[in-house]
Amino acid sequence: MTDNPSPLKFHVPEPEVRPGGTPDFSNVPIPKAGSVDRPPVDVDPRTIRDLAYSIIRVLNREGDAVGPWAGTLTDEEQLEGLRHMMTLRTFDARMQMAQRQGKTSFYMQHMGEEAVSCAFRKALIKGDMNFPTYRQAGLLIAGGYPMVDMMNQIYSNEKDPLKGRQLPIMYSAKDHGFFSISGNLTTQYIQAVGWAMASAIKGDTKIAVGWVGDGATAESDFHAALVFASTYKAPVVLNIVNNQWAISTFQGIARGGSGTFAARGLGFGIPALRVDGNDYLAVHAVAKWATERARSNLGPTLVEYVTYRVGAHSTSDDPSAYRPKTESDAWPLGDPVIRLKNHLIRRGLWSDERHKQTEAEILEAVISAQKEAESHGTLHAGGKPSTRDMFEGVYAEMPPHLRRQRQKAGV
């Protein structure tokens, strides 16, 4: 034992670059597209530990779909997927503009992350339940949920399906397998695992899907959910959208020394995969693998989607304060819309002309939906939910104190 030990040093992870610096993603190892094996769904998790450290990719730099994970979608499904992502991006742009115009108080964009939710949705069936965060609106877009209803919720107007009870973009649509969004981090995981366990207990056929961002993995609920999912082999897919930033904190703070977020599943005996979140085809292939595993009573799967949040965390955020303005341009996995577009063009299924025409058609449809929604009111103008709605639909039998409050309010 030394008499004069060196003083201890407190370690705080540092981002690779700060505002004003030159973006550098050279430390992100990107495997060659098609190089990662596709194991059978009933694989022993202990034999695929390496998948928690690699990245499953289908689209190569030339736009070809290659490798064992390719081929899970038809031509028509790929074209539909491109349209879904384009629709979500256009919807985002219009709602972002509406917020800047004072028509709503708050909005959160999906720029750069469209493939994750849009592609995953196509691996689900009616009755499955998503427990999403605030950046999975693609589940609704790709699931056919009306844009007008989404906008009514954002505006909190008289047609808001949630009666003004939720923050803008915190949707809820039971019939579309979209559980009510919570602003509290990681509640989605424990709710998804519990719902999945209940489905198994009832002998049902439906599975659950939990969604969190990279920052939420630092919450205790994340680990509690993995314990229960692993112990009871819950039919659930647990998704981590690693978009590199948790509000203003870079991913290294939440990741700690685990190397990857997917690797956290290994200690629980859960198969863990990482996938290129900007590759629509790869996301769908992994989603299909994980959902099939859940439906086959093989238990949970943890999936990390490696992507990048191009825009601000929300309309209340200024990313230039904590990262270089050009960082998104340097992201090595590209843009999910452009990548799928180029793949379809390379296969003779699409063209630049058709893309421009479709952009115009989608913009027209989104503007039409926006006009209809705004006819029912916006934040500062037009119809609002009734004060009466505050009291309805909460209790089976309204408590006396709420009855008195309602009478006092005259509603």
Side-chain angles (χ1 to χ4, degrees), residues 28 47 55 83 90 152 163 169 214 280 336 338 351 360 392:
V28 181
T47 67
I55 300 178
R83 189 177 187 94
T90 303
N152 286 336
K163 313 296 185 184
I169 62 85
D214 47 284
Y280 186 95
I338 294 174
S351 66
E392 298 289 345

Side-chain angles (χ1 to χ4, degrees), residues 32-67:
K32 185 178 179 181
S35 65
V36 179
D37 289 337
R38 184 186 186 280
V41 294
D42 60 352
V43 67
D44 185 335
R46 293 173 295 182
T47 67
I48 59 168
R49 292 175 62 88
D50 58 314
L51 295 189
Y53 297 97
S54 189
I55 300 178
I56 296 166
R57 302 177 63 224
V58 170
L59 290 173
N60 63 21
R61 297 190 184 282
E62 289 72 39
D64 296 314
V66 297

Side-chain angles (χ1 to χ4, degrees), residues 222-406:
F222 175 85
H223 303 279
L226 265 61
V227 169
F228 276 77
S230 174
T231 300
Y232 298 104
K233 292 190 179 297
V236 64
V237 182
L238 298 169
N239 290 328
I240 303 168
V241 182
N242 176 11
N243 63 17
Q244 314 304 309
W245 290 95
I247 308 183
S248 59
T249 304
F250 86 111
Q251 58 149 327
I253 296 292
R255 190 186 67 238
S258 63
T260 70
F261 291 102
R264 293 189 165 177
L266 299 179
F268 296 91
I270 297 175
L273 294 75
R274 296 180 87 217
V275 60
D276 179 349
N278 289 20
D279 181 340
Y280 186 95
L281 304 187
V283 170
H284 180 268
V286 169
K288 187 174 181 181
W289 189 92
T291 55
E292 184 180 346
R293 186 177 176 89
R295 292 189 209 285
S296 301
N297 277 311
L298 294 169
T301 303
L302 185 71
V303 183
E304 175 187 347
Y305 301 86
V306 183
T307 183
Y308 187 85
R309 169 168 58 80
V310 175
H313 182 264
S314 72
T315 49
S316 302
D317 175 45
D318 176 14
S320 67
Y322 54 83
R323 69 186 188 190
K325 291 183 178 180
T326 58
E327 187 176 79
S328 62
D329 297 332
W331 177 242
L333 295 178
D335 181 301
V337 174
I338 294 174
R339 288 178 66 187
L340 184 56
K341 168 194 169 186
N342 290 342
H343 168 67
L344 293 170
I345 290 176
R346 188 171 178 84
R347 296 191 56 225
L349 299 170
W350 201 242
S351 66
D352 285 321
E353 292 72 23
R354 283 188 66 185
H355 195 82
K356 291 178 182 177
Q357 180 183 351
T358 302
E359 282 182 326
E361 292 170 356
I362 290 172
L363 178 59
E364 182 179 359
V366 172
I367 290 176
S368 176
Q370 186 176 4
K371 288 180 178 177
E372 181 179 344
E374 291 182 2
S375 71
H376 299 296
T378 61
L379 178 63
H380 296 299
K384 303 291 181 189
S386 170
T387 304
R388 177 182 66 249
D389 294 326
M390 286 196 298
F391 302 94
E392 298 289 345
V394 180
Y395 294 96
E397 293 186 21
M398 191 178 297
H401 73 285
L402 289 185
R403 238 185 344 260
R404 289 193 298 270
Q405 287 180 22
R406 179 174 174 174

